[in-house]
Amino acid sequence: MIITDWPNAVAHIDADYFFANCELARKPELRGKPVMVLGKLGSCILAKTPEAKQAGITTAMPLWDAKKACPKGIYIHGDFRYYTILSRYLMSLLGEWSPVLEIYSVDEAFMDLKGLRGLYRMPYNRIADRIREEIKNRIGITVSVGVSVNKTLAKVACELNKPDGTTMVPGRAISDFLSTIPVGDIPGIGRSRSELLFKYGIKSAQQLAETSQNLIQRWFGKTGVLLWRELRGETSFPIQKDSPPPKSIARTSSFDKPHTNLQVVHGMATYHLERAIEALYRHHLLVKEFALYLREKSFMTYGLKHRFESPTNDFYELVKALSKTIKNMPSNRIWRSTGVILSHLSPSCGQQLNLFEDPKKIECQDELNQAKLDLNKRFGRTTVRSGATLFISKKYTINKERLDLPLF
Ligand SMILES: [Mg+2]
């Protein structure tokens, strides 16, 4: 265990009930009321104000149940373009406070505070409070801040004084702090892990931090040991200024209502494939394994896989793989959702050419793919698209100005 207060100082900043908070920012007259934001299809609750929570509303609750629990609530269809703009504004404000910022999700970030006490001439808790105040004044939403010696402890601390609070956990206070935290509240310890720990009598996060390294290694492997070190005040997960490239790319969605039409399944999967390829290009990646994701009305789920001989980002090769896997789909089923998952990704620079591939052909395909992406970037993301997508609902293919924050 460490014995100094601030060997490092990391802040975790997390917007409170973000989507609902964004709605309050533009409609202040809704403050103090039970406000709920609905998902894209308007069928379940994505975010809720504390007043809605008090009325018994939970995240992901179906709209039908929510209306029974809170008939006088205000139900708003999610406006994700607006939330994206506010998210960018939030991150740019945070970036003004510290140049070392890791954008962790649409409404969460980690910030390195080390060295800022001297710059701003105030202690870390005051910096955290000032950040909260500034976001409230300039954007109109509340955030909570946790400050500790590493990312895991800062994230756990941040949950303690929500909404609109600051929680400080300096090095010397870690043990006392962790004694009050149930082991299941540590990020990365899911329900099954907590159940295992409960069997061994480990209930608090402090008990986990005091468990021997050998046992942690045996139960949870190397990643468990990294987390265990963080609970002991060491740093296993440094702040990553540039987020690492994704390990897989998934694009999926549910149909408006379950159905049996294969052309629509094919069209929707193609639409998702085109979006996944955009992401491949954006991250300069190649894919080795493709999977067609399918879910039946009964929630039975399938992942039909195709492995490429060599890693690729070629649209035509990927479309061929999709058509091949579509043919292997179980027949006479009612489908609820579909999409694609690209995995085994590798960087596209220095791509190894297969001995039997014609380099000129690859170059031409690459130019063609790039031209399609450029046109869509300039004139709207579905300007050039596969004919298979003609069979899907128009709402997916109406051209809108594109915001390229890859968080939604
Ligand atoms: Mg949040």
Side-chain angles (χ1 to χ4, degrees):
M1 289 281 175
I2 50 170
I3 46 158
T4 57
D5 270 346
W6 299 111
N8 287 303
V10 175
H12 180 244
I13 300 114
D14 181 15
D16 308 313
Y17 47 94
F18 182 57
F19 298 157
N21 219 330
C22 291
E23 293 297 341
L24 299 186
R26 65 174 167 186
K27 293 179 198 131
E29 68 275 13
L30 296 182
R31 285 189 196 283
K33 294 185 178 161
V35 175
M36 285 145 277
V37 172
L38 305 173
K40 263 187 188 156
L41 300 175
S43 54
C44 68
I45 308 294
L46 277 191
K48 70 223 175 276
T49 56
E51 292 78 12
K53 194 176 174 184
Q54 255 176 14
I57 305 296
T58 54
T59 303
M61 190 181 234
L63 179 61
W64 179 252
D65 293 339
K67 285 207 162 162
K68 270 193 266 176
C70 189
K72 289 198 176 148
I74 293 143
Y75 296 86
I76 300 174
H77 278 266
D79 178 354
F80 299 96
R81 292 165 59 72
Y82 165 62
Y83 309 148
T84 304
I85 291 164
L86 254 51
S87 164
R88 283 183 174 184
Y89 190 18
L90 170 66
M91 297 308 165
S92 73
L93 276 189
L94 295 178
E96 286 176 17
W97 279 88
S98 169
V100 185
L101 186 75
E102 176 181 336
I103 299 174
Y104 187 67
S105 78
V106 67
D107 71 326
E108 284 173 273
F110 289 103
M111 184 190 285
D112 189 355
L113 297 185
K114 188 91 176 155
L116 298 189
R117 280 188 297 197
L119 179 67
Y120 296 118
R121 295 176 189 277
M122 57 178 100
Y124 290 133
N125 61 329
R126 187 73 198 114
I127 296 177
D129 288 343
R130 285 281 300 276
I131 290 174
R132 283 194 303 107
E133 283 160 25
E134 189 177 328
I135 291 168
K136 212 186 307 174
N137 293 338
R138 289 176 63 183
I139 310 182
I141 64 169
T142 59
V143 300
S144 296
V145 184
V147 182
S148 191
V149 299
N150 60 38
K151 280 163 64 172
T152 303
L153 293 169
K155 189 165 166 59
V156 177
C158 188
E159 290 299 316
L160 246 68
N161 273 313
K162 272 182 159 296
D164 200 14
T166 298
T167 309
M168 305 296 296
V169 183
R172 271 186 274 244
I174 295 173
S175 303
D176 287 346
F177 170 69
L178 290 184
S179 309
T180 65
I181 304 292
V183 79
D185 286 359
I186 303 166
I189 303 282
R191 223 178 56 202
S192 62
R193 284 178 170 186
S194 338
E195 274 166 16
L196 171 79
L197 292 169
F198 267 46
K199 278 190 193 148
Y200 288 94
I202 297 169
K203 292 188 176 151
S204 78
Q206 178 57 18
Q207 284 174 298
L208 185 64
E210 283 168 0
T211 304
S212 79
Q213 185 177 343
N214 281 347
L215 272 178
I216 299 285
Q217 170 79 39
R218 198 187 313 155
W219 290 338
F220 306 130
K222 224 162 84 184
T223 47
V225 173
L226 293 177
L227 184 63
W228 173 80
R229 284 190 200 283
E230 290 244 322
L231 292 180
R232 296 167 67 87
E234 297 166 36
T235 298
S236 306
F237 311 120
I239 294 183
Q240 289 177 314
K241 222 178 134 186
D242 297 308
S243 47
K247 293 206 162 64
S248 66
I249 294 171
R251 293 290 182 273
T252 64
S253 68
S254 302
F255 298 111
D256 292 346
K257 51 182 181 222
H259 68 88
T260 53
N261 189 332
L262 275 188
Q263 268 181 332
V264 176
V265 175
H266 192 171
M268 192 59 123
T270 308
Y271 165 75
H272 285 305
L273 179 60
E274 294 192 331
R275 293 174 60 222
I277 295 172
E278 272 178 28
L280 266 187
Y281 267 76
R282 192 164 58 234
H283 293 289
H284 307 285
L285 293 169
L286 300 171
V287 54
K288 182 88 182 167
E289 193 170 282
F290 163 90
L292 170 65
Y293 162 88
L294 290 159
R295 177 173 265 188
E296 277 188 48
K297 192 181 172 203
S298 64
F299 289 98
M300 176 84 184
T301 306
Y302 304 83
L304 306 177
K305 287 185 183 168
H306 175 92
R307 228 178 147 83
F308 298 104
E309 254 175 56
S310 52
T312 182
N313 57 3
D314 180 41
F315 175 73
Y316 298 97
E317 213 177 337
L318 281 150
V319 163
K320 250 194 260 166
L322 170 62
S323 305
K324 229 182 196 172
T325 43
I326 286 264
K327 282 189 192 129
N328 298 330
M329 269 172 66
S331 51
N332 300 327
R333 308 293 163 99
I334 305 172
W335 300 108
R336 176 184 289 278
S337 49
T338 189
V340 301
I341 300 162
L342 309 182
S343 58
H344 297 78
L345 307 177
S346 54
S348 62
C349 47
Q351 179 181 1
Q352 283 270 320
L353 291 182
N354 184 317
L355 268 181
F356 304 102
E357 276 173 331
D358 175 0
K360 206 156 191 171
K361 190 178 147 208
I362 290 178
E363 210 173 290
C364 281
Q365 281 168 345
D366 211 37
E367 271 179 26
L368 206 58
N369 285 324
Q370 195 58 57
K372 175 176 179 280
L373 292 168
D374 288 346
L375 280 169
N376 287 350
K377 204 169 175 185
R378 191 154 165 211
F379 299 108
R381 77 186 317 177
T382 56
T383 305
V384 183
R385 64 189 164 103
S386 164
T389 61
L390 290 172
F391 299 100
I392 64 173
S393 165
K394 283 218 166 47
K395 73 177 180 190
Y396 294 101
T397 53
I398 292 170
N399 269 327
K400 295 178 224 153
E401 186 207 339
R402 201 172 153 247
L403 295 163
D404 57 358
L405 190 77
L407 293 169
F408 288 115

